[in-house]
Amino acid sequence: MTVAIDRATGKRRGDAPRPGLGQRLKHGYQKHWYAYVMIAPVVVVLGVLVLYPLGYGMYLTLTDANSLNTGRTIGVNEIEATYKFIGLDNYADILWGETAYDRFWSHFIWTIVWTAACVALHYTIGLGLALLLNQKLRGRTFYRLILVLPWAVPTFVTVFGWRFMLSDGGIINSALESLHLPTPLWLEDTFWQRFAAIMVNTWCGVPFMMVSLLGGLQSIDSTLYEAAEMDGANAWQRFRHVTLPGLRSVSSTVVLLGIIWTFNQFAVIFLLFGTTAPDAQILVTWAYYLGFGQQPRDFAQSAAYGILLLAILIVFTSFYRRWLNRNEQQLAI
């Protein structure tokens, strides 16, 4: 019997049964086998580098694994693993245990403050520099090159440079002392450690935001500015009603990326302080400290922190995208 497809609804017409899942998969493979072959290496690499570590890490969070009870080899002796399954006890201890505030919530609050401050500074300064570089200036290419340098230089070089400058005998304190100003303990006092971390990360992150927003500015139709100027709009009104709406799609993307990157920014904190500044550690560096910076190394708790970080970012991204979609629908109306 001939089976027809209704073009309006996409539904099948006729009495013939729908093919089973196995037949549909077989037909799809026969039709698109070349595409499956091309993506197979990517799937294998992702499985080995991402899915397997993630799955093993989730398993570790359900155990009491540490450096004393995991399997290891000492000389010619092989010691078998003796850790056991404990369920969700690690998560309960992290979130509601006796030391939950000192070990998780204090670092969580600081991580939120760190992320919000850094991304706000990245976007504000990046937008200001992008607006300047979007003007017709002499030597504009040279200025762009200079401003992109902090992003082009490897992170460890930049952070080590800042660490030398922020030390007690560094150039920053020497300059402040010559001006008869207070010389903060940048690498020792908790407040100034956090201030220095935000300052260094802002230096590293502004160029990316500037380049991204500059590309968005150059994609805005210049006739919109001409029309607004003819209608008598001043500079602030043109910025508010033309520039910002024109940057909406670019801004939403770079802000989301900035939040994810900053929330998981390991290099700046670790290279600036190592494990010597417990109150300046964000969640990701604190998880590293638990797993590799103390004795005994607590692999299960460290893995649990990683899963909690992933869950926080997934929830935030979901709400963020939903909020953006709702705003876009309201603007469309």
Side-chain angles (χ1 to χ4, degrees):
M1 177 181 294
T2 302
V3 178
I5 304 296
D6 191 336
R7 294 183 178 180
T9 63
K11 297 182 179 180
R12 300 163 57 86
R13 292 184 298 177
D15 297 331
R18 184 181 182 184
L21 178 62
Q23 292 180 344
R24 295 200 303 272
L25 291 175
K26 182 179 179 181
H27 177 71
Y29 175 77
Q30 291 175 346
K31 185 176 181 181
H32 305 291
W33 67 269
Y34 183 77
Y36 288 115
V37 171
M38 294 298 292
I39 67 173
V42 179
V43 173
V44 172
V45 171
L46 288 177
V48 173
L49 298 181
V50 178
L51 297 181
Y52 172 73
L54 179 61
Y56 186 67
M58 293 183 67
Y59 167 71
L60 284 180
T61 65
L62 306 177
T63 69
D64 62 348
N66 57 49
S67 58
L68 301 179
N69 58 22
T70 52
R72 56 201 182 278
T73 301
I74 302 177
V76 296
N77 300 317
E78 293 186 3
I79 302 176
E80 296 183 356
T82 57
Y83 59 83
K84 59 183 181 296
F85 183 85
I86 60 173
L88 300 177
D89 288 354
N90 284 316
Y91 297 100
D93 181 57
I94 290 172
L95 298 175
W96 302 292
E98 294 181 358
T99 59
Y101 180 80
D102 293 332
R103 299 189 63 182
F104 178 78
W105 292 109
S106 62
H107 296 286
F108 174 75
I109 294 171
W110 161 232
T111 303
I112 298 298
V113 174
W114 146 271
T115 303
C118 288
V119 174
L121 290 171
H122 288 169
Y123 187 84
T124 304
I125 300 174
L127 179 58
L129 293 175
L131 290 171
L132 290 175
L133 293 179
N134 197 42
Q135 305 297 320
K136 294 181 180 180
L137 301 173
R138 294 185 59 183
R140 183 171 55 178
T141 303
F142 174 75
Y143 296 143
R144 290 180 182 179
L145 178 62
I146 293 298
L147 292 172
V148 169
L149 276 179
W151 187 36
V153 174
T155 302
F156 77 93
V157 175
T158 302
V159 177
F160 280 156
W162 275 100
R163 183 168 181 171
F164 288 133
M165 291 190 295
L166 292 170
S167 61
D168 290 339
I171 187 174
I172 294 179
N173 277 354
S174 298
L176 292 175
E177 188 175 5
S178 66
L179 297 173
H180 303 288
L181 295 175
T183 55
L185 299 175
W186 300 101
L187 304 179
E188 299 175 13
D189 182 76
T190 298
F191 173 81
W192 292 110
Q193 285 173 340
R194 294 178 173 181
F195 186 90
I198 293 174
M199 181 171 59
V200 174
N201 191 59
T202 300
W203 173 270
C204 296
V206 163
F208 167 77
M209 197 71 71
M210 178 194 69
V211 172
S212 302
L213 294 174
L214 180 59
L217 288 173
Q218 293 177 345
S219 66
I220 299 176
D221 191 353
S222 60
T223 58
L224 296 176
Y225 290 102
E226 296 174 0
E229 191 171 359
M230 292 178 63
D231 289 339
N234 55 34
W236 166 248
Q237 291 172 330
R238 293 195 299 270
F239 172 77
R240 180 182 176 183
H241 298 289
V242 178
T243 302
L244 289 181
L247 290 175
R248 183 176 290 112
S249 60
V250 176
S251 297
S252 61
T253 302
V254 295
V255 167
L256 178 60
L257 291 175
I259 291 173
I260 294 174
W261 291 341
T262 306
F263 196 84
N264 287 323
Q265 178 59 264
F266 177 86
V268 170
I269 300 292
F270 182 76
L271 294 175
L272 199 58
F273 307 116
T275 58
T276 61
D279 293 329
Q281 303 293 327
I282 58 175
L283 286 176
V284 65
T285 56
W286 183 249
Y288 173 85
Y289 172 78
L290 293 177
F292 302 98
Q294 65 174 3
Q295 291 295 338
R297 292 175 288 177
D298 197 335
F299 301 138
Q301 288 264 332
S302 180
Y305 271 81
I307 298 302
L308 288 173
L309 283 169
L310 178 62
I312 291 170
L313 288 176
I314 289 175
V315 171
F316 169 77
T317 303
S318 300
F319 279 101
Y320 181 79
R321 298 304 302 179
R322 185 175 301 177
W323 175 74
L324 287 178
N325 292 334
R326 184 170 64 248
N327 287 346
E328 289 177 358
Q329 292 175 359
Q330 292 176 351
L331 290 173
I333 295 176

